[in-house]
Amino acid sequence: MSKHSAALAAITITAAVTLSACGVGGGGSSDAKTVTVMTHDSWAAPAELIKKFEKDSGYTVKIQTAGDAGELTNKLILSKDNPSADVVFGIDNTLGIRAVDAGVFRPYSSAKATDQAKSLALPGADDDLTAIDYGDVCLNVDNGWFASHGLAAPTSLDDLIKPEYRDLLVTPSAVTSSPGTAFFLATVAKYGENGWQGYWTKLRDNGVKITSGWTDAYSVDFSGGEGKGSRPIVVSYASSPPFTIPKGGGEPTTSAVLSTCFRQIEYAGVVKGTDNTKGAEAFIDFISEPAFQKSIPDNMYMYPASGAALPADWAKYAPLATDPLTVDPSTIAAKRDGWLKEWADVTTG
């Protein structure tokens, strides 16, 4: 997940430090005291926590970023006969079964996982993956834009195809963006396997703009938050609104539409074929423990799987959907490629 400019800055710093410190390499390294972690581009963690883990465990952490969640999964599968990492973090519930079916994980259940984290286990993969964090991908709206234009903000997916919302929505691509895929799956959940095509045809005809990634949608085309664009509706996260509270202000300038949310859950797993199983397991334990879990909201903008306390602004302005839209993970694994090919055809007319 990539969400906010502050996060991007943190990611850049973290990646630069780890890559410059560790060089190239990974699973199967002759250095048994190095743990190579393959993760997505949005990995960010406090340096002091990583240093404490390294001091307490004796392992050196090497971060190996691999693009977004889709790219991460593909690289993990393609390198399964010669793995370049010991442990992976960032495989989500839309891609987890594909990776499990490809046989890329060594079974491991962390004793550090709380009951809440266990409740987020991926069906069919609970022996392979440990839930680390989760969040909701939802429509976000620019409150000020709608107030100044005398138009009610949308409250449902159905609203987006009404004439009064023409040319107001921007979303990242379902093919190239993890939140874009999540929004697409929300429409599959809402309109069914044979109904989403008609809905997206209407969205296309109503002027939806599709960008390659979340950053362009939120930071360029969206009129709210950090964006300077013309579109007041964007696909983002339920956790985005607290980051739009103006300096010195008391309330966010954007809101999430919770009836449109699709829940993402991110997992960690030990890579099959690693020469450093103990180090990989120690790292999963570390990111499941309270100290790391508490750091997740401020660094990766997700909710800690363990149930660790949230920042005060999140409790007030970033509630999760009470009834998120879902699609069975095994159905996603079986039909994802065909759906996305069809989605590309529908949205390009």
Side-chain angles (χ1 to χ4, degrees), residues 35 57-58 61 63 95 131 144 158 160 173 177 183 210 219 235 273 297 314:
V35 179
S57 69
V61 175
I63 298 297
L95 295 158
D158 286 345
L160 298 179
S173 167
S177 162
F183 179 61
I210 298 171
S219 303
V235 171
W314 283 48

PDB file of all heavy atoms in Angstrom, residues 35 57-58 61 63 95 131 144 158 160 173 177 183 210 219 235 273 297 314:
ATOM      1  N   VAL A  35      18.857 -11.832   7.870  1.00  0.00           N
ATOM      2  CA  VAL A  35      17.499 -12.181   7.467  1.00  0.00           C
ATOM      3  C   VAL A  35      17.088 -11.258   6.326  1.00  0.00           C
ATOM      4  O   VAL A  35      17.007 -10.042   6.504  1.00  0.00           O
ATOM      5  CB  VAL A  35      16.498 -12.025   8.630  1.00  0.00           C
ATOM      6  CG1 VAL A  35      15.087 -12.381   8.162  1.00  0.00           C
ATOM      7  CG2 VAL A  35      16.902 -12.884   9.799  1.00  0.00           C
ATOM      8  N   SER A  57      18.213 -10.215  18.741  1.00  0.00           N
ATOM      9  CA  SER A  57      18.200 -11.522  18.068  1.00  0.00           C
ATOM     10  C   SER A  57      19.566 -11.939  17.528  1.00  0.00           C
ATOM     11  O   SER A  57      19.827 -13.132  17.319  1.00  0.00           O
ATOM     12  CB  SER A  57      17.201 -11.490  16.909  1.00  0.00           C
ATOM     13  OG  SER A  57      17.669 -10.635  15.870  1.00  0.00           O
ATOM     14  N   GLY A  58      20.412 -10.944  17.254  1.00  0.00           N
ATOM     15  CA  GLY A  58      21.696 -11.240  16.635  1.00  0.00           C
ATOM     16  C   GLY A  58      21.630 -11.307  15.125  1.00  0.00           C
ATOM     17  O   GLY A  58      22.647 -11.547  14.459  1.00  0.00           O
ATOM     18  N   VAL A  61      18.948  -7.317   9.547  1.00  0.00           N
ATOM     19  CA  VAL A  61      17.789  -7.288   8.654  1.00  0.00           C
ATOM     20  C   VAL A  61      18.164  -6.644   7.322  1.00  0.00           C
ATOM     21  O   VAL A  61      18.734  -5.553   7.279  1.00  0.00           O
ATOM     22  CB  VAL A  61      16.624  -6.503   9.292  1.00  0.00           C
ATOM     23  CG1 VAL A  61      15.456  -6.376   8.312  1.00  0.00           C
ATOM     24  CG2 VAL A  61      16.172  -7.180  10.583  1.00  0.00           C
ATOM     25  N   ILE A  63      16.284  -5.507   3.852  1.00  0.00           N
ATOM     26  CA  ILE A  63      14.992  -5.298   3.198  1.00  0.00           C
ATOM     27  C   ILE A  63      15.170  -5.352   1.682  1.00  0.00           C
ATOM     28  O   ILE A  63      16.023  -4.664   1.119  1.00  0.00           O
ATOM     29  CB  ILE A  63      14.371  -3.952   3.606  1.00  0.00           C
ATOM     30  CG1 ILE A  63      14.112  -3.923   5.115  1.00  0.00           C
ATOM     31  CG2 ILE A  63      13.065  -3.700   2.830  1.00  0.00           C
ATOM     32  CD1 ILE A  63      13.113  -4.938   5.609  1.00  0.00           C
ATOM     33  N   LEU A  95      -4.135 -12.119  -3.100  1.00  0.00           N
ATOM     34  CA  LEU A  95      -3.056 -12.817  -3.809  1.00  0.00           C
ATOM     35  C   LEU A  95      -2.499 -14.003  -3.033  1.00  0.00           C
ATOM     36  O   LEU A  95      -1.729 -14.788  -3.577  1.00  0.00           O
ATOM     37  CB  LEU A  95      -1.915 -11.828  -4.092  1.00  0.00           C
ATOM     38  CG  LEU A  95      -2.255 -10.690  -5.050  1.00  0.00           C
ATOM     39  CD1 LEU A  95      -1.300  -9.517  -4.861  1.00  0.00           C
ATOM     40  CD2 LEU A  95      -2.199 -11.181  -6.490  1.00  0.00           C
ATOM     41  N   ALA A 131      -1.192 -13.151   9.796  1.00  0.00           N
ATOM     42  CA  ALA A 131      -1.747 -11.815   9.562  1.00  0.00           C
ATOM     43  C   ALA A 131      -0.958 -10.779  10.356  1.00  0.00           C
ATOM     44  O   ALA A 131      -0.733 -10.942  11.561  1.00  0.00           O
ATOM     45  CB  ALA A 131      -3.219 -11.780   9.963  1.00  0.00           C
ATOM     46  N   GLY A 144     -15.165  19.665   1.289  1.00  0.00           N
ATOM     47  CA  GLY A 144     -15.309  21.071   0.916  1.00  0.00           C
ATOM     48  C   GLY A 144     -15.850  21.254  -0.489  1.00  0.00           C
ATOM     49  O   GLY A 144     -16.667  22.148  -0.744  1.00  0.00           O
ATOM     50  N   ASP A 158     -23.673   2.704  -6.226  1.00  0.00           N
ATOM     51  CA  ASP A 158     -24.730   3.050  -7.187  1.00  0.00           C
ATOM     52  C   ASP A 158     -24.698   4.532  -7.540  1.00  0.00           C
ATOM     53  O   ASP A 158     -24.971   4.910  -8.683  1.00  0.00           O
ATOM     54  CB  ASP A 158     -26.103   2.691  -6.616  1.00  0.00           C
ATOM     55  CG  ASP A 158     -26.368   1.191  -6.609  1.00  0.00           C
ATOM     56  OD1 ASP A 158     -25.631   0.457  -7.285  1.00  0.00           O
ATOM     57  OD2 ASP A 158     -27.308   0.769  -5.907  1.00  0.00           O
ATOM     58  N   LEU A 160     -22.324   6.474  -8.064  1.00  0.00           N
ATOM     59  CA  LEU A 160     -21.254   6.879  -8.989  1.00  0.00           C
ATOM     60  C   LEU A 160     -21.669   6.857 -10.452  1.00  0.00           C
ATOM     61  O   LEU A 160     -21.014   7.475 -11.294  1.00  0.00           O
ATOM     62  CB  LEU A 160     -20.029   5.970  -8.799  1.00  0.00           C
ATOM     63  CG  LEU A 160     -19.380   6.001  -7.420  1.00  0.00           C
ATOM     64  CD1 LEU A 160     -18.201   5.034  -7.384  1.00  0.00           C
ATOM     65  CD2 LEU A 160     -18.935   7.407  -7.043  1.00  0.00           C
ATOM     66  N   SER A 173      -5.816   1.941 -11.491  1.00  0.00           N
ATOM     67  CA  SER A 173      -6.137   0.793 -12.331  1.00  0.00           C
ATOM     68  C   SER A 173      -6.224  -0.498 -11.526  1.00  0.00           C
ATOM     69  O   SER A 173      -5.393  -0.758 -10.650  1.00  0.00           O
ATOM     70  CB  SER A 173      -5.068   0.637 -13.416  1.00  0.00           C
ATOM     71  OG  SER A 173      -5.184  -0.610 -14.060  1.00  0.00           O
ATOM     72  N   SER A 177      -2.563  -1.601  -9.858  1.00  0.00           N
ATOM     73  CA  SER A 177      -2.559  -1.019  -8.517  1.00  0.00           C
ATOM     74  C   SER A 177      -3.291  -1.922  -7.528  1.00  0.00           C
ATOM     75  O   SER A 177      -4.400  -2.393  -7.812  1.00  0.00           O
ATOM     76  CB  SER A 177      -3.239   0.358  -8.552  1.00  0.00           C
ATOM     77  OG  SER A 177      -3.624   0.772  -7.261  1.00  0.00           O
ATOM     78  N   PHE A 183     -10.714  -2.091  -5.166  1.00  0.00           N
ATOM     79  CA  PHE A 183     -11.958  -1.407  -5.534  1.00  0.00           C
ATOM     80  C   PHE A 183     -12.711  -2.209  -6.592  1.00  0.00           C
ATOM     81  O   PHE A 183     -13.941  -2.339  -6.537  1.00  0.00           O
ATOM     82  CB  PHE A 183     -11.652   0.001  -6.052  1.00  0.00           C
ATOM     83  CG  PHE A 183     -12.879   0.752  -6.478  1.00  0.00           C
ATOM     84  CD1 PHE A 183     -13.891   1.044  -5.576  1.00  0.00           C
ATOM     85  CD2 PHE A 183     -13.026   1.173  -7.797  1.00  0.00           C
ATOM     86  CE1 PHE A 183     -15.037   1.737  -5.967  1.00  0.00           C
ATOM     87  CE2 PHE A 183     -14.158   1.864  -8.197  1.00  0.00           C
ATOM     88  CZ  PHE A 183     -15.171   2.145  -7.286  1.00  0.00           C
ATOM     89  N   ILE A 210      -9.082   6.708 -14.871  1.00  0.00           N
ATOM     90  CA  ILE A 210      -8.278   5.602 -14.344  1.00  0.00           C
ATOM     91  C   ILE A 210      -6.803   5.961 -14.472  1.00  0.00           C
ATOM     92  O   ILE A 210      -6.330   6.287 -15.563  1.00  0.00           O
ATOM     93  CB  ILE A 210      -8.592   4.300 -15.105  1.00  0.00           C
ATOM     94  CG1 ILE A 210     -10.063   3.927 -14.902  1.00  0.00           C
ATOM     95  CG2 ILE A 210      -7.682   3.169 -14.629  1.00  0.00           C
ATOM     96  CD1 ILE A 210     -10.541   2.778 -15.770  1.00  0.00           C
ATOM     97  N   SER A 219      -2.810  12.107  -5.313  1.00  0.00           N
ATOM     98  CA  SER A 219      -1.980  13.305  -5.183  1.00  0.00           C
ATOM     99  C   SER A 219      -2.062  14.249  -6.380  1.00  0.00           C
ATOM    100  O   SER A 219      -1.634  15.405  -6.284  1.00  0.00           O
ATOM    101  CB  SER A 219      -0.507  12.898  -4.980  1.00  0.00           C
ATOM    102  OG  SER A 219      -0.366  12.070  -3.856  1.00  0.00           O
ATOM    103  N   VAL A 235     -10.536   6.701  -5.044  1.00  0.00           N
ATOM    104  CA  VAL A 235     -10.378   5.428  -4.337  1.00  0.00           C
ATOM    105  C   VAL A 235      -9.128   5.529  -3.469  1.00  0.00           C
ATOM    106  O   VAL A 235      -8.030   5.751  -3.978  1.00  0.00           O
ATOM    107  CB  VAL A 235     -10.266   4.255  -5.331  1.00  0.00           C
ATOM    108  CG1 VAL A 235      -9.874   2.975  -4.596  1.00  0.00           C
ATOM    109  CG2 VAL A 235     -11.581   4.067  -6.079  1.00  0.00           C
ATOM    110  N   GLY A 273      12.589 -23.052   1.119  1.00  0.00           N
ATOM    111  CA  GLY A 273      13.910 -23.141   0.504  1.00  0.00           C
ATOM    112  C   GLY A 273      14.937 -22.241   1.150  1.00  0.00           C
ATOM    113  O   GLY A 273      16.113 -22.285   0.787  1.00  0.00           O
ATOM    114  N   PRO A 297       0.241   1.848  12.345  1.00  0.00           N
ATOM    115  CA  PRO A 297      -0.592   2.947  11.827  1.00  0.00           C
ATOM    116  C   PRO A 297       0.209   4.162  11.390  1.00  0.00           C
ATOM    117  O   PRO A 297      -0.073   4.747  10.333  1.00  0.00           O
ATOM    118  CB  PRO A 297      -1.509   3.268  13.016  1.00  0.00           C
ATOM    119  CG  PRO A 297      -1.616   1.987  13.770  1.00  0.00           C
ATOM    120  CD  PRO A 297      -0.240   1.381  13.671  1.00  0.00           C
ATOM    121  N   TRP A 314      -7.222   8.252  14.610  1.00  0.00           N
ATOM    122  CA  TRP A 314      -7.787   7.100  13.901  1.00  0.00           C
ATOM    123  C   TRP A 314      -9.074   6.641  14.562  1.00  0.00           C
ATOM    124  O   TRP A 314     -10.039   6.289  13.890  1.00  0.00           O
ATOM    125  CB  TRP A 314      -6.782   5.952  13.885  1.00  0.00           C
ATOM    126  CG  TRP A 314      -5.680   6.109  12.905  1.00  0.00           C
ATOM    127  CD1 TRP A 314      -4.902   7.216  12.716  1.00  0.00           C
ATOM    128  CD2 TRP A 314      -5.231   5.148  11.961  1.00  0.00           C
ATOM    129  NE1 TRP A 314      -3.994   6.994  11.736  1.00  0.00           N
ATOM    130  CE2 TRP A 314      -4.163   5.738  11.251  1.00  0.00           C
ATOM    131  CE3 TRP A 314      -5.608   3.840  11.667  1.00  0.00           C
ATOM    132  CZ2 TRP A 314      -3.477   5.056  10.253  1.00  0.00           C
ATOM    133  CZ3 TRP A 314      -4.930   3.158  10.670  1.00  0.00           C
ATOM    134  CH2 TRP A 314      -3.878   3.764   9.972  1.00  0.00           C
TER     135      TRP A 314
END
